[in-house]
Amino acid sequence: MKLWGGRFESGPSEIFERFSGSLHFDRRLIDADLRGSQAFARALERAGILTATEREQIVAAFEAMREEARSEEFFAGASDEDVHTLVIRKLKERVGGLAGKIHTGRSRNEQVSLDVRLWLREECDRIRGLIAGLMESLVELAGRYPDAVIPGFTHLRRAQAVLWPHYLLAYFEMLARDWERFGEARRRANVLPLGSGALAGSGFPFDREAIAADLDFDGVTANSMDVSADRDFALDFLYASTVTMLHLSRLAEDWILYSSEEFGWMALGDGVTSGSSLMPQKKNPDSLELIRGKSGRVAGSFHSLMMTLKGLPLTYNRDMQEDKEPLFEAADQLAGSLEMARAVADSVALVPGKAFQAVEESWVVATDLAEALARSGTPFHDAHQIVGALVLESVREGKKPADWTAAELAAFSPKFTADFLLLLAPGEGMKSREITGGTGPKVVAGSLRRARERLELMRS
Ligand code: ARG
């Protein structure tokens, strides 16, 4: 069955049907299509196109199809052009000629926009739930080692000592923004396109606000041509997905490094690692590598749709059918990665002693010393030079910060009074960073508490 044909003398070629058909992927929108069509049947009744009995018949048929579409059998042997065509064919099988009325004043162009919006709305909710789940696990992991000190890096060189929870809460903040981004994507998708017709606005007096209320949309779109041409809401979703994947990819990269023999201050659980077919000793971080790898695929999906839309003349063009596979692909890879990242986080065992050793062996306290000098009146540039020279001297002599005595420090520079010895302990300098957003222990404890409260609000 076709939703068109009158103007043609012969049907489409087999190659064109095969090339243009989208049922094998857009069938995923079936429930959205059926729910949208039920609401449209009610709108047709309000507009005087369907009688109450006809509307009842159609809505019931769609309801039965929603149930049946859960099983593979429903799609068996279907060769319809797309999911919308399949739905109408099945409706015809159930209600006969009456099915011909369901497309009164409705175009597939607005229908596909509606379906994708309905699908995206739910997908945003699902993904927000998964993001919150991962955030919960990070907070839990932070709480398991509240006092652990690790080196913070810049340029992958040990930079300054930070608290383990402070490090994890950095990812908490990224994910909190991702969670918001999906909220914004949802908000922008949550506008009703029906009533736009093919591009010029429907020729029937639909009460668009009533349809919006029926389908739980926040409002109605303002321009019918915009509706037919617009896939911004899909791009918003893909952008949010890409940024979230980039965050997961960076977390994955960190943990691949930290759990390596070279770092050795984190262990990943057996359940999220795999062995080598050849090398018996291996325990590889494949789960994290796959997250990192999939982040490229999701970014690719985002780019794919941007490239598809670039330069399309207004309004609808069949190119736009290519929006769905990147969307589905991104949603699936992202959801899977979020679940995987959570399982990895739950499996992590920190080796606080090893992490602290990495801190102690390095000169992460150098900034603490320079800042202490500056606090007692030395211009910071001079302080920087003095401590730099101290580090150089230590490197030459193979000395760690803890190898210095108060007397040696004083001999090195008279500016190093006795109390500077204390600052050679990495935990000490952190206490001077009790500033909002800093790694001061009191601030971090407060941030961790607030993170738990924020999660509760997100869940409510
Ligand atoms: N399957 C199409 C899509 O996903 C919707 C159908 C509109 N087709 C058309 N030739 N106007 O975009």
Side-chain angles (χ1 to χ4, degrees):
M1 196 204 84
K2 296 258 168 307
L3 296 176
W4 44 272
R7 186 242 175 275
F8 290 78
E9 290 180 3
S10 62
S13 66
E14 194 260 330
I15 181 171
F16 174 60
E17 284 210 311
R18 209 167 0 98
F19 184 67
S20 62
S22 57
L23 183 61
H24 60 287
F25 56 83
D26 66 16
R27 50 175 277 183
R28 188 156 168 177
L29 297 173
I30 183 100
D31 198 63
D33 200 75
L34 290 166
R35 278 185 288 141
S37 297
Q38 286 178 319
F40 189 62
R42 289 188 281 268
L44 285 172
E45 181 193 357
R46 284 193 297 268
I49 311 285
L50 293 179
T51 65
T53 325
E54 287 172 332
R55 182 262 306 152
E56 229 166 76
Q57 247 182 300
I58 289 176
V59 169
F62 283 145
E63 196 58 31
M65 284 155 70
R66 286 186 69 189
E67 195 50 45
E68 283 171 32
R70 292 169 194 267
S71 109
E72 197 48 39
E73 232 174 277
F74 184 78
F75 300 94
S79 60
D80 309 88
E81 183 182 318
D82 56 22
V83 67
H84 325 293
T85 314
L86 169 105
V87 162
I88 301 302
R89 174 173 61 81
K90 296 262 185 188
L91 182 67
K92 204 171 202 164
E93 286 168 14
R94 281 183 170 73
V95 304
L98 177 57
K101 287 194 176 180
I102 191 70
H103 257 291
T104 313
R106 180 178 70 161
S107 154
R108 272 185 299 165
N109 297 350
E110 55 184 334
Q111 194 180 350
V112 74
S113 169
L114 172 69
D115 291 3
V116 175
R117 287 168 191 267
L118 287 172
W119 178 83
L120 268 183
R121 223 164 61 169
E122 280 170 23
E123 215 50 27
C124 287
D125 292 342
R126 176 169 82 112
I127 285 167
R128 291 180 104 201
L130 292 172
I131 291 175
L134 174 58
M135 291 167 78
E136 228 160 68
S137 283
L138 292 180
V139 164
E140 200 269 328
L141 178 55
R144 266 193 275 149
Y145 311 95
D147 311 315
V149 179
I150 63 166
F153 300 93
T154 63
H155 313 270
L156 197 56
R157 303 291 187 271
R158 293 174 209 175
Q160 290 184 272
V162 293
L163 282 169
W164 168 247
H166 191 59
Y167 161 76
L168 288 177
L169 288 175
Y171 281 102
F172 183 95
E173 294 301 331
M174 296 176 224
L175 292 165
R177 290 194 296 273
D178 294 332
W179 187 84
E180 277 172 20
R181 259 185 282 274
F182 277 102
E184 285 154 19
R186 187 194 201 283
R187 215 163 19 256
R188 268 194 289 275
N190 201 26
V191 188
L192 177 85
L194 279 192
S196 302
L199 79 156
S202 182
F204 296 81
F206 294 124
D207 179 348
R208 298 189 64 209
E209 271 75 18
I211 309 176
D214 188 346
L215 286 170
D216 212 13
F217 280 105
D218 293 335
V220 305
T221 53
N223 183 294
S224 60
M225 294 183 80
D226 178 39
V227 165
S228 287
D230 170 34
R231 287 295 180 273
D232 292 7
F233 54 92
L235 289 178
D236 286 341
F237 179 87
L238 287 169
Y239 174 68
S241 301
T242 301
V243 177
T244 308
M245 283 304 294
L246 294 190
H247 291 152
L248 296 186
S249 180
R250 295 180 78 170
L251 180 74
E253 173 65 10
D254 274 357
W255 292 3
I256 289 167
L257 289 171
Y258 300 169
S259 63
S260 69
E261 282 120 322
E262 278 65 23
F263 284 72
W265 37 271
M266 172 192 273
L268 305 172
D270 284 2
V272 299
T273 46
S274 42
S276 155
S277 55
L278 185 82
M279 301 165 282
Q281 85 284 13
K282 292 300 286 295
K283 184 175 166 186
N284 295 324
D286 296 33
S287 51
L288 294 171
E289 291 166 326
L290 280 166
I291 290 173
R292 194 176 54 187
K294 286 169 189 294
S295 69
R297 281 176 69 175
V298 174
S301 294
F302 177 39
H303 283 267
S304 155
L305 185 57
M306 282 204 293
M307 292 306 101
T308 297
L309 295 174
K310 179 188 171 300
L312 289 187
L314 249 52
T315 57
Y316 179 85
N317 300 270
R318 190 66 177 269
D319 315 45
M320 290 160 74
Q321 178 170 293
E322 300 296 318
D323 61 350
K324 285 163 215 68
E325 283 169 297
L327 272 179
F328 297 157
E329 153 84 4
D332 290 343
Q333 299 305 334
L334 173 60
S337 299
L338 284 165
E339 282 172 334
M340 189 69 253
R342 182 173 199 183
V344 174
D346 290 340
S347 86
V348 161
L350 192 68
V351 190
K354 275 288 275 237
F356 195 67
Q357 196 185 329
V359 171
E360 278 183 318
E361 278 170 359
S362 61
W363 272 91
V364 294
V365 295
T367 309
D368 301 334
L369 289 176
E371 288 184 351
L373 285 176
R375 269 193 292 274
S376 55
T378 310
F380 184 76
H381 179 72
D382 300 342
H384 193 288
Q385 292 292 115
I386 294 169
V387 178
L390 178 73
V391 174
L392 180 62
E393 180 70 13
S394 306
V395 170
R396 282 196 184 123
E397 292 177 25
K399 276 168 111 167
K400 295 186 298 237
D403 296 332
W404 287 85
T405 64
E408 284 170 339
L409 270 188
F412 187 84
S413 164
K415 300 219 180 239
F416 286 127
T417 48
D419 45 333
F420 274 80
L421 196 67
L422 197 64
L423 282 175
L424 294 176
E428 217 30 54
M430 287 195 317
K431 293 183 192 156
S432 65
R433 308 193 183 284
E434 296 289 7
I435 185 168
T436 305
T439 194
K442 289 195 195 100
V443 170
V444 171
S447 302
L448 198 54
R449 246 192 336 270
R450 236 182 346 273
R452 293 196 177 98
E453 289 164 11
R454 285 161 67 186
L455 273 172
E456 291 213 345
L457 281 178
M458 285 165 61
R459 291 292 200 190
S460 64

